[in-house]
Amino acid sequence: MSTQNALLTILVEKINNDTLVLPTLPAIALKVRKAADDPNINLNGMAEVVGQDPSLSARMIKISNSAYLGRTVKVASTTQAVTRIGLSQVKNIATALAMEQLFVSKNDLVKKYMAQKWGQIIDIVANSMAALTLFQKENKDNNLSLDTMALCALVADIGALPVLTEAERHDSVFANPSFLDVAIDKLAGRIGGSIMREWRFNEVFIECAEHWRDVEFNTSQVGYLDFVRTGAALARLIDKPEDVLSQAQTRGVFEDIETLKSDEFVELRENAKAIFS
């Protein structure tokens, strides 16, 4: 039995027996989410929690000064950043910014693969945020939000992590990226759904992690899943990207494919990318 088949068998068995080691949410993200759920938390209290992690603090300030929030007056402190972003959004944005901490490895080969995976995820995030921004201009009455969009796209491929962690024990597998892609393709959805449930994320996130590759699965209304798929299709990270984009257009995610090639879209995409780079 080849290493690859063996690994696939091990993974499937572990998924079925519930013994696959799932990643845990970075500690700072847990703290922020817990604080955000406290009905008595105020902006200063939240700024204190965020301030416990200097790197998160710096990135929060960066995001609050980003083109996405469209402000010309720059903020310089965590409290100002939290105030500008708003309590309801801090939870998702802090989680999103902390996600990169999960894509690390001490093994050089795995590290390279993780970095590549993270880069692909950021492409999906940037495309989907840009597509949603254009959608919102045309559909003022929608109830979708950019911070939820960013986090949905970031966790969409979270199921790949346990596959990579398991494969870390078999160096030879990383020498064959096409096998890893097949394993991720086959199993990441199921695993991603399990991780989202384990992290107690709501249905929206579970749906994106579990079903974005499965184009047969659709919701009745246009939602985050549509934008994750559109983002993945534009980044050529989903099977039959043209078909996926055509389906998205039919569902009303965008009116004309040309808008996704416009200067405005490109600028929105680059602005979103800058947040996570």
Side-chain angles (χ1 to χ4, degrees):
M1 197 180 197
S2 72
T3 309
Q4 296 170 12
N5 289 341
L7 180 61
L8 213 46
T9 309
I10 290 168
L11 281 164
V12 172
E13 266 179 24
K14 288 193 169 185
I15 293 168
N16 292 339
N17 303 336
D18 260 350
T19 54
L20 190 67
V21 178
L22 302 179
T24 52
L25 202 57
I28 185 62
L30 272 172
K31 281 184 190 165
V32 172
R33 294 182 78 80
K34 192 177 171 192
D37 291 338
D38 175 357
N40 301 316
I41 193 83
N42 59 21
L43 288 162
N44 285 340
M46 182 54 94
E48 266 175 40
V49 175
V50 172
Q52 290 170 19
D53 186 303
S55 136
L56 180 63
S57 232
R59 296 186 81 172
M60 278 288 197
I61 293 169
K62 180 182 172 185
I63 201 172
S64 60
N65 289 329
S66 74
Y68 251 89
L69 292 181
R71 305 293 169 84
T72 44
V73 180
K74 299 290 182 211
V75 306
S77 74
T78 312
T79 309
Q80 290 172 318
V82 168
T83 307
R84 180 172 285 182
I85 291 166
L87 267 181
S88 60
Q89 274 124 339
V90 162
K91 181 176 175 177
N92 285 343
I93 286 176
T95 309
L97 293 174
M99 291 304 291
E100 191 176 3
Q101 296 173 17
L102 296 175
F103 287 79
V104 290
S105 171
K106 292 185 175 73
N107 175 315
D108 284 345
L109 215 48
V110 184
K111 196 195 238 161
K112 199 170 139 193
Y113 204 91
M114 291 265 200
Q116 182 194 350
K117 189 50 105 184
W118 180 249
Q120 291 174 346
I121 289 169
I122 295 308
D123 282 342
I124 297 177
V125 173
N127 286 331
S128 58
M129 283 175 77
L132 176 59
T133 305
L134 292 182
F135 175 83
Q136 287 177 324
K137 281 176 81 171
E138 300 299 318
N139 302 272
K140 299 271 189 283
D141 57 346
N142 76 90
N143 58 357
L144 302 174
S145 74
L146 276 171
D147 61 290
T148 305
M149 179 71 263
L151 189 53
C152 273
L154 277 162
V155 298
D157 219 8
I158 195 77
L161 270 180
V163 178
L164 295 174
T165 310
E166 198 62 49
E168 201 162 342
R169 302 188 187 123
H170 312 276
D171 255 10
S172 62
V173 175
F174 283 89
N176 182 354
S178 61
F179 161 71
L180 266 182
D181 291 336
V182 169
I184 287 168
D185 217 39
K186 275 187 183 172
L187 305 173
R190 272 174 76 186
I191 301 171
S194 303
I195 296 169
M196 291 294 93
R197 289 183 183 93
E198 183 84 8
W199 289 0
R200 296 194 169 82
F201 275 35
N202 69 25
E203 201 48 51
V204 166
F205 299 104
I206 295 171
E207 213 167 61
C208 285
E210 214 157 36
H211 297 295
W212 71 273
R213 283 184 179 83
D214 171 16
V215 293
E216 300 295 308
F217 180 95
N218 279 304
T219 50
S220 54
Q221 285 176 309
V222 170
Y224 298 108
L225 183 62
D226 292 285
F227 291 96
V228 169
R229 267 188 206 141
T230 299
L234 290 170
R236 295 278 182 272
L237 294 169
I238 196 168
D239 286 344
K240 302 185 178 160
E242 271 71 24
D243 293 358
V244 172
L245 289 171
S246 166
Q247 184 191 48
Q249 188 171 356
T250 307
R251 280 175 60 77
V253 176
F254 52 87
E255 223 166 274
D256 182 358
I257 192 76
E258 290 308 309
T259 56
L260 304 184
K261 297 172 185 169
S262 65
D263 290 347
E264 185 183 10
F265 180 86
V266 171
E267 189 183 341
L268 286 165
R269 185 186 67 208
E270 295 312 305
N271 288 343
K273 220 177 225 188
I275 291 170
F276 295 100
S277 57

